[in-house]
Each structure stands twice: as C-alpha cells, then as structure tokens.
C-alpha cells in the first residue's frame, strides 16, 4: 500500500462536520502553535515545507505569501474551492467531510498574511459542500473561533462562503476575483498579480482548498519534516484520485513522487476487465494525455512535466483499450468551448473550431486531414490568450492527435466503413 | 441569449414585485460582507432566484434597484452564469454529467433514458413546466460515475434502471405539486425559499 494519510481520514468513520469531534481529534491545536510562531514564523515553516499550490499550477505557497506589498492596505484571503476541472474530486472531500481542516488552515494562513476577511468561493453546483461549509463556519462563530478577538488572541477574522454560479472559468484566480466583485468571470491580464491588486483592488492571496488544509499539518510536523515526505522540490503528501475504467475508483493520499503505476494498479485496483490501458489523463482534462508506456512517472509536479504533461489536480482518469478516442476528444473539446469566457479571439474561436472539427470527425464527415487541422488550431491557440484556459483546451487535444494518431485513424476508417 | 419569455413572468408578478421581509434582511446582511455593494450582486441574484424561481427582466430590475446598481451591470453578470436562470425552469432540473469519466461509464445511456421518459431533448423544458433536462459538465464526483443532479441533490453511480425509477417518481410527485415557482401561470410566484430544493 503506497498510501500515507495525513489529511484524508474518511476511514476513521468520525463525523468531522461537527466542531466537537474535530476538536476531540486534535483540531485547532495548531492555532496555539501559530500564535507562538507569529506571522513570519508560520510563513517560514510553509516555505520550508516546500508546499506547492494544490490548485494545479504548483506555485510555492510561502513564496506567494511573501509577494504581499507591505503598504498598510487591508489584505484579503480568498479560497479557491471552485473545483471544476473535469476528472477532479479532491476539494469536495474537505468541503463536505472535513470542513474544519480547511478552516483551521484558513485561520492560521489569514493570521500569517494579516488578512481579516476571507471569502471561500465554492462552486455553485456543490450544494452539499456549501451547506456543510457554511454550517461549519457558523459553528466556529458560535464557539469563538471566528469573529472578534478569536480565543482571546486579539486576532479578528470573518469568513464568508461565496457561491459560484456555474462557470468553470471562475476557477482561474483572477476570474474568481472578478466573480466575487459581482462581475462576469473574465480573467484579468497579469500583472498586476492578485497579491498586489486582488479583490476590490486590495492585496489578495488566492489559495486552493487543499493547499490551505495542508497548513495545520505542516505546523504540526514542522515544515522540513513534511517536505521530506515527498520528492525533492515537491514536498509532502498529495491527495490523488483515480476514476474511469478502474476496479477501485476513489480518493487516496500518497507521498509526492509515488509512481503513477502504483496509484493506478495498487490503489485504483487495476483496469476494469483486466484490459490494457489506452490513455491516461494525469490530473484533469487540461493535462496532456499519456500513453500506457508513460505511467512509470513519479506523481509530482516535476515528474509529469518531464514527460510533457502536468500534475494538475492529481486526479487521474484511466481510459481502457477499446475506448473510442474521438468520443473522448469530443467531450474535452465541448467542455472548453462551453467554458471559454470569450474575451480572447484565439480561445473563443479556436475552442469552437476544435469542437466543430471533432464533431465532424465523430459524424464520419471528416478524414485523416482533420487531425492535422486540429493540431494547427491548437498551435494557433497556444500562447496567444489572456489566461491558461486556451492552453487547457489545446494541450490535451494536441496530445491526443500526436500520441494516438493510429487509434484516431482507425476510428476514422471505422466510421467511414460504417457509413458505406 | 436574450430571455425570450421574460414578459410573461414580469406581467404576472408585476403587481408589487418585491422581496419578502426575510429576503430583505438577508440582502442587508449580504451587503455587509463586501467593501463594495456589487460584491453582493451574485449572492442577491441567487436569493432572487430562490424567491421568484427565475430572473425575469422585472426581477433583474428589482435587484438593480435594491442594490443601487445599474441595470446593465446586473444584466451582464446575470447573463454570464449558467446557474442563474434567465428563463423559467422546470420544477425538476435534471442535469446529467456527460464529461469524460461519466462518458466512459455510461452517461449517454442515462441521457437516452431521460429523453425517452420525458420526451424532451437536453436543453429543453417540458411544456407542463415539470422538467428541464440538461447534459452538464463534470460534477466532480467522477470516482462515483456516472453522476447526475436533480435540483440540489446529487445522485451517484446511477444505473439506467435506477434513473428510470427516479424519473417515474418525480413525474408522479410533479403531477401532484404542479410546475415550479415562477412558472408562467402558476400561482406561486413568490416567497418560495423553501421550495427551490428537492430534498
Ligand atoms: C482555466 C483555469 C481553471 C482553474 N480552476 C481552478 C480550480 O477549480 N481550483 C483551483 O484551486 N485552482 C484553479 N485554477 C488555478 C488558479 O488560477 C490558481 O492558480 C490557484 O487557485 C492558486 O492556488 P494554489 O496556489 O493554492 O494552487 C485554474 C486555472 C485556470 C487557468
Ligand atoms: S483564454 Fe479563453 S477563458 Fe481565458 S481569458 Fe481568454 S477567452 Fe477567456
Ligand atoms: S465526469 Fe462526471 S462527475 Fe466528473
């Protein structure tokens, strides 16, 4: 068993949505430690831990906190709980089953960065997550863990749950900020970065739910010890998911750098009907696809980058042999077209073309030349947009065209034969 | 897309379209959470949708007036977000995930079950105002695929037979309860905070 559980504890069978249960299992013990360390001490531990953002981009968290300007303006903490990346189901765990873990991380992190207001932006479709997290926030207010002078510390913090309303693009941090401001979720040009100009123009730190949930564990173990759990430059443990054609789909926790093969076969139970793997999406559908020969890769930011893909959200989608890749590509293309905010032409038009070309392929109305056309369109999007949504569409589709060309050609011939 | 049947609801509720006292108190509380009042816009649009069923032009005007924002700002935001309804929706909003993991495990079979049972295509609402059917993007419970949502409730690892049974139940319940809040001609245009969810 390659698992190492520090965050994930559904197996304990305890109802962690109740504050008393959370407290009885050592909850909020790290608040005391945080006060001892002070803001700079906490940031130093987080830096030492090597914690990299769990939202997908993997930016070092402590470094990001250090970007806040010291100019006396009010600061905000924003939690990115807009989980929407297709194939992903990790933040949902905290929001629904262990909400105080994230909230303890929020309290400590807000204290570290000097924020007195935190917005938790939860995806609109996550009704249960919103209800559980709102209830957890209310429990904390009642028990003096939020509000004025928290537990006599002199520190004030208000936490508000802000519901999204059905737009994937609001997961992009500047679109999320626009959305909190009550505007359409259109990403901003960067710079300025949120640390300087975030919600309502104030200095803002945006962190993913899992990133913040790791903070209390880091304080408990000490940053250096936590870092040592993972591979070099990829500290700690990571929640990983396995879904698709596997026998034991689910959410697990492993040291960073655990071989992907072990996650798929040991934790995920191997492939349904003992088939071969056709393709792997390593961490949500924005990541370039991998072949079955590429799964001996360490599951961490650098390992996946080395094989031309990304760790992303670390929730793996397994696609077994015999699956129609044109069908899969159709779902991917449709998603990115539907979710494009529309403000850059290469993304708005390009994702439309991708979807239209794949639809033609699917209908048997296009030949092999359409594969080259898809690659062309992807190249036209890549690097030419305001936010990474364009690449999130182009990279996976281009990877399918390049790595799975024989399978695509066979699928095209099959459709032609069926039509004849 | 412009709300095409906006007029119907606006006329229907035009007499004294207003937030309930509970909702008004909630608006005040929401305004206190943001340093600028537009921050409260999306939360207040959610609130309005729960009160009136959907965001007709009249409801959007009400929100603009309530928050002191321009009508165009309110409209621009309302139009951007798919979960903010610019048209009346069925009492049961059936949303089937058809993204990759669910596709791999039979989501399209579930869509066929719904199309056959309800007689509508994804994106359509039944004439009686009971059902809106939609093929939606990843609900992020892929380890429990195939997934779907009816109003606020999730259904995981759904088989076609289970889904068929669920739809039959909802059809029976819907005949008893009638169309959703805010459905043109329905006698329930307001004060429906409790009704928006299907428990
Ligand atoms: C199209 C797009 C969608 C994104 N969706 C999410 C998301 O759902 N959740 C998330 O935490 N980060 C998402 N991100 C990444 C955020 O922009 C940002 O990097 C992250 O919230 C930073 O937090 P972290 O440093 O803790 O990872 C997305 C980025 C892009 C370009
Ligand atoms: S890349 Fe796409 S989603 Fe991102 S800002 Fe441009 S149009 Fe919007
Ligand atoms: S693909 Fe259906 S829940 Fe993720």
């Amino acid at each position: 068993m390659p698992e190492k559980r520090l965050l994930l504890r559904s197996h304990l069978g305890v109802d962690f949505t109740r504050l008393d249960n959370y407290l009885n299992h050592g909850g909020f013990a790290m608040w005391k430690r945080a006060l001892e360390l002070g803001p700079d001490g906490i940031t130093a531990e987080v830096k030492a831990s090597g914690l990299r953002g769990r939202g997908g981009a993997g930016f070092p968290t402590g470094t990001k906190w250090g970007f806040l300007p010291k100019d006396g303006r009010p600061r905000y903490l924003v939690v990115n709980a807009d989980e929407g990346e297709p194939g992903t189901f990790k933040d949902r765990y905290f929001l629904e089953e262990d909400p105080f873990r994230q909230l303890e991380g929020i309290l400590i992190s807000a204290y570290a960065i000097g924020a007195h207001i935190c917005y938790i932006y939860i995806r609109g479709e996550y009704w249960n997550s919103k209800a559980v997290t709102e209830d957890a926030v209310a429990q904390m207010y009642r028990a003096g863990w939020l509000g004025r002078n928290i537990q006599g510390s002199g520190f004030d913090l208000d936490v508000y749950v802000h519901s999204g309303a059905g737009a994937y693009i609001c997961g992009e941090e500047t679109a999320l900020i626009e959305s909190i401001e009550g505007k359409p979720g259109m990403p901003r040009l960067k710079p300025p970065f949120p640390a300087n100009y975030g919600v309502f123009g104030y200095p803002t730190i945006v962190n993913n739910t899992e990133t913040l949930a790791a903070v209390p564990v880091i304080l408990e173990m000490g940053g250096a010890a936590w870092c040592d759990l993972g591979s070099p430059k990829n500290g700690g443990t990571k929640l990983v998911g396995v879904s698709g054609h596997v026998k034991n789909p689910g959410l697990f926790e492993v040291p960073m750098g655990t071989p992907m093969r072990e996650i798929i076969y040991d934790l995920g139970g191997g492939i349904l009907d003992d088939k071969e793997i056709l393709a792997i999406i390593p961490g949500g559908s924005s990541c370039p696809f991998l072949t079955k020969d590429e799964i001996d890769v360490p599951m961490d930011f650098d390992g996946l980058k080395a094989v031309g893909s990304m760790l992303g959200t670390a929730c793996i989608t397994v696609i077994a042999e015999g699956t129609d890749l044109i069908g899969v590509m159709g779902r991917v293309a449709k998603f990115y077209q539907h979710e494009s905010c529309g403000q850059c032409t290469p993304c708005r038009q390009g994702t439309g073309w991708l979807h239209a070309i794949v639809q033609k392929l699917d209908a048997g109305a296009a030949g092999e030349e359409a594969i080259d056309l898809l690659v062309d369109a992807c190249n036209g999007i890549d690097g030419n947009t305001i936010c990474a949504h364009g690449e999130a569409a182009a990279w996976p589709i281009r990877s399918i065209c390049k790595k799975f060309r024989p399978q695509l050609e066979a699928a095209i011939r099959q459709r032609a034969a069926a039509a004849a | 897309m412009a709300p095409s049947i906006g007029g119907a609801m606006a006329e229907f509720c035009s007499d004294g379209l207003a937030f309930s006292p509970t909702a008004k108190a909630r608006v005040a509380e929401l305004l206190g959470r943001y340093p600028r009042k537009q921050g409260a816009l999306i939360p207040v649009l959610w609130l309005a949708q729960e009160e009136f069923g959907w965001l007709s032009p009249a409801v959007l005007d009400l929100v603009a007036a309530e928050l002191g924002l321009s009508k165009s700002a309110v409209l621009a935001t309302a139009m951007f977000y798919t979960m903010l309804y610019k048209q009346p929706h069925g009492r049961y909003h059936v949303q089937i995930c058809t993204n990759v993991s669910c596709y791999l495990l039979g989501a399209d079979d579930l869509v066929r079950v719904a199309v056959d049972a309800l007689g509508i295509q994804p994106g359509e609402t039944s004439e009686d105002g009971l059902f809106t059917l939609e093929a939606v993007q990843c609900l992020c419970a892929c380890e429990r695929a195939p997934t779907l949502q009816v109003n606020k409730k999730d259904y995981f690892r759904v088989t076609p037979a289970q889904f068929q049974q669920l739809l039959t139940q909802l059809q029976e319940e819907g005949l008893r309860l009638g169309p959703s809040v805010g459905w043109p001609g329905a006698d329930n245009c307001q004060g429906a905070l409790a009704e928006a969810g299907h428990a």
Side-chain angles (χ1 to χ4, degrees), chain A residues 169 186-187 339-344 347-348 385-390:
Chain A
I169 194 58
M186 296 209 180
E339 302 300 335
S340 167
C341 86
Q343 66 175 327
C344 341
C347 171
R348 183 186 62 245
T385 58
I386 291 177
C387 87
H389 184 87

Side-chain angles (χ1 to χ4, degrees), chain A residues 216-290:
Chain A
V217 181
I218 288 168
L219 289 203
E220 190 174 347
M221 294 187 70
W226 194 80
C227 187
D228 286 345
L229 293 171
S231 43
K233 298 203 176 119
N234 292 271
T237 58
K238 176 82 191 79
L239 296 196
V240 294
V242 190
S243 79
H245 290 142
V246 287
K247 292 177 188 169
N248 184 38
L251 184 65
F252 311 98
E253 183 175 357
V254 297
M256 274 281 199
T258 299
M260 182 188 277
R261 180 182 296 279
E262 286 178 23
I263 296 168
I264 295 170
Y265 282 92
D266 297 353
L267 299 176
I271 316 306
L272 280 178
D273 303 324
D274 293 315
K275 286 187 180 168
E276 285 286 325
I277 290 172
L278 172 61
I280 295 291
I281 318 176
S285 70
S286 302
C287 303
F289 285 40
L290 300 179

Side-chain angles (χ1 to χ4, degrees), chain A residues 86-88, chain B residues 97-103 137-142 145-147:
Chain A
T88 304
Chain B
C97 172
T98 54
N99 215 303
V100 175
S101 294
C102 290
Y103 165 75
Q137 299 302 348
C138 180
L139 292 169
C140 289
C142 325
T147 68

Side-chain angles (χ1 to χ4, degrees), chain A residues 53-57 59 64 80 82-84 168-169 171-173 206-208 211 388-389:
Chain A
R54 270 39 177 158
F59 194 84
K64 189 196 279 190
N80 192 338
D82 194 41
E83 187 157 74
Y168 162 77
I169 194 58
E172 196 282 334
E173 58 186 8
V206 184
N207 272 135
N208 171 259
T211 309
H389 184 87

Side-chain angles (χ1 to χ4, degrees), chain A residues 260 282 288-291 293-298 300-311 399 403:
Chain A
M260 182 188 277
F289 285 40
L290 300 179
T291 67
D293 303 321
E294 292 176 304
I295 64 169
D296 290 302
V297 54
D300 61 28
F301 292 106
D302 301 323
L304 278 144
K305 196 165 172 221
V307 292
S309 189
M310 301 187 294
L311 180 65
S399 74
K403 291 185 182 175

